[in-house]
């Protein structure tokens, strides 16, 4: 780490304990866990740029045009999958 500076972050004990459990489950220190999080988590602007890059790539290399409706449906499916909900495909999805 170049020019690493120590920073103190105050969090409730429950948050500290949770970070310790998460870090231990990955064989990391809390410091390394937070560093990994900071390096791998995108800002909303970075996510939107990734979406735009992906849409351009798909259009250029595969001739696929992704619409906002497609993105909304994909986001909804991801949210459902994360929350453990499963929904039956719509008639439109079954026909595709």
């Amino acid at each position: 780490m170049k020019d690493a500076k120590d920073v103190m972050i105050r969090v409730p004990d429950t948050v500290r304990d949770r970070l310790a459990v998460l870090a231990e489950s990955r064989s990391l220190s809390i410091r390394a866990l937070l560093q990994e999080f900071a390096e791998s988590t995108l800002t909303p602007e970075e996510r939107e740029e990734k979406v735009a890059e992906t849409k351009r790539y798909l259009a250029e290399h595969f001739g696929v045009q992704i619409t906002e409706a497609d993105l909304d449906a994909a986001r909804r499916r991801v949210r459902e999958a994360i929350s453990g909900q499963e929904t039956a495909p719509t008639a439109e999805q079954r026909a595709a």
Side-chain angles (χ1 to χ4, degrees), residues 51-66:
V51 168
E53 289 173 14
T54 302
K55 287 171 69 174
R56 284 192 298 272
Y57 184 88
L58 291 172
E60 180 180 332
H61 294 281
F62 299 102
V64 175
Q65 300 296 322
I66 304 296

Side-chain angles (χ1 to χ4, degrees), residues 1 4 28-41:
M1 263 184 279
L28 298 172
S29 65
I30 292 176
R31 178 188 299 238
L33 178 73
L34 291 174
Q35 181 174 344
E36 182 181 279
F37 171 78
E39 291 172 348
S40 65
T41 303

Side-chain angles (χ1 to χ4, degrees), residues 19-84:
L19 289 170
V21 168
L22 292 170
E24 183 178 339
S25 73
R26 297 178 185 199
S27 299
L28 298 172
S29 65
I30 292 176
R31 178 188 299 238
L33 178 73
L34 291 174
Q35 181 174 344
E36 182 181 279
F37 171 78
E39 291 172 348
S40 65
T41 303
L42 300 175
T43 66
E45 294 81 15
E46 291 167 333
R47 278 195 307 272
E48 287 305 314
E49 181 54 35
K50 290 286 187 189
V51 168
E53 289 173 14
T54 302
K55 287 171 69 174
R56 284 192 298 272
Y57 184 88
L58 291 172
E60 180 180 332
H61 294 281
F62 299 102
V64 175
Q65 300 296 322
I66 304 296
T67 66
E68 285 303 313
D70 295 328
L71 290 173
D72 289 342
R75 288 178 183 120
R76 184 176 58 253
R77 294 296 300 262
V78 167
R79 281 193 307 272
E80 291 166 356
I82 290 171
S83 70

